[in-house]
């Protein structure tokens, strides 16, 4: 079995275990659940839990990420469209997350809220974004003049996405699609208005 296939099998198993453990975290709160209890909820031993997750927080964040997919996978499978800017292509990378938010907003919001409920969970979520940033930058590199531009674009996109999640959870009557589209529109306006406003 090739390394790519092994990685995919491992990632699939990790997601399945995170989903099983998530129920007990949501019911009792992460701080009130031991690793042993989380492992039992997932049907595995404590040792096996740590083969897949670095911490309880890692399992919670994995459950949240399971709903949105890996943005780098989406970007690497895309081709640019005629007249499309890098910012517009970058926005399309987040479409799986937007689609899930439209299908099951209650579940996604509850997981976002849990991922921000403690300082350890917030730190784990930020670490997850850093990992995704590197992968997304690599996926964007064929569309960019150099790697530094790809890295900057990935950082910008994930920052806008994270900010949009926060706004969506606290908003009433607005969808994640509307909020994320607005964030990317404002990012485009910064460049358009820089010469006029400075």
């Amino acid at each position: 079995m090739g390394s790519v296939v092994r990685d995919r099998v491992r990632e699939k198993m990790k997601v399945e275990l995170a989903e099983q453990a998530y129920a007990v975290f949501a019911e009792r709160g992460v701080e009130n659940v031991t690793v042993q209890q989380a492992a039992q909820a997932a049907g595995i031993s404590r040792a096996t839990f740590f083969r897949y997750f670095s911490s309880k927080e890692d399992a919670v964040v994995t459950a949240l990420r399971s709903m949105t997919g890996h943005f780098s996978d989406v970007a690497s499978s895309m081709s640019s469209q005629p007249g499309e800017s890098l910012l517009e292509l970058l926005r399309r990378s987040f479409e799986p997350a937007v689609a899930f938010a439209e299908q099951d907003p209650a579940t996604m919001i509850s997981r976002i809220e849990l991922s921000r409920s403690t300082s350890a969970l917030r730190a784990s979520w930020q670490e997850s974004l850093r990992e995704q940033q590197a992968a997304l930058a690599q996926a964007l590199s064929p569309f960019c003049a150099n790697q530094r531009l790809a890295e900057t674009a990935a950082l910008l996109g994930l920052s806008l996405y994270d900010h949009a999640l926060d706004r969506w959870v606290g908003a009433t009557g607005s969808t994640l699609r509307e909020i994320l589209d607005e964030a990317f529109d404002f990012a485009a306006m910064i460049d358009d208005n820089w010469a006029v406003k400075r």
Side-chain angles (χ1 to χ4, degrees), residues 22-33:
Y22 181 83
V24 72
F25 290 134
E27 180 183 350
R28 304 180 198 173
V30 177
E31 293 179 319
N32 299 319
V33 176

Side-chain angles (χ1 to χ4, degrees), residues 20-152:
Q20 292 167 16
Y22 181 83
V24 72
F25 290 134
E27 180 183 350
R28 304 180 198 173
V30 177
E31 293 179 319
N32 299 319
V33 176
T34 67
V35 170
Q36 182 63 39
Q37 291 169 332
Q40 288 176 346
I44 56 177
S45 68
R46 188 176 189 275
T48 301
F49 183 93
F50 280 117
R51 281 202 291 270
Y52 285 93
F53 308 104
S54 61
S55 63
K56 296 183 294 181
E57 289 77 16
D58 183 23
V60 172
V61 169
T62 298
L64 173 57
R65 282 181 58 176
S66 72
M67 300 183 303
T68 63
H70 293 274
F71 306 126
S72 58
D73 291 344
V74 180
S76 62
S77 68
M78 293 191 309
S79 57
S80 59
Q81 298 176 354
E84 183 178 47
S85 69
L86 177 59
L87 200 60
E88 291 168 334
L89 184 145
L90 180 60
R91 163 61 186 85
R92 287 200 285 126
S93 301
F94 298 93
E95 191 57 29
V98 172
F100 191 97
E102 291 175 338
Q103 293 168 7
D104 193 351
T107 296
M108 190 165 177
I109 286 174
S110 69
R111 293 192 182 187
I112 293 168
E113 289 176 333
L114 184 60
S115 73
R116 283 142 166 79
S117 62
T118 70
S119 58
L121 279 164
R122 289 192 295 272
S124 186
W125 173 247
Q126 290 303 314
E127 177 61 27
S128 170
L129 290 180
R130 284 190 290 272
E131 292 172 1
Q132 292 189 78
Q133 181 186 336
L136 182 56
Q138 188 63 36
L140 290 172
S141 60
F143 307 104
C144 299
N146 54 63
Q147 189 59 26
R148 291 294 298 275
L149 177 57
E151 292 168 359
T152 302

Side-chain angles (χ1 to χ4, degrees), residues 12 15 107 140 165:
K12 182 179 179 181
V15 167
T107 296
L140 290 172
L165 291 182

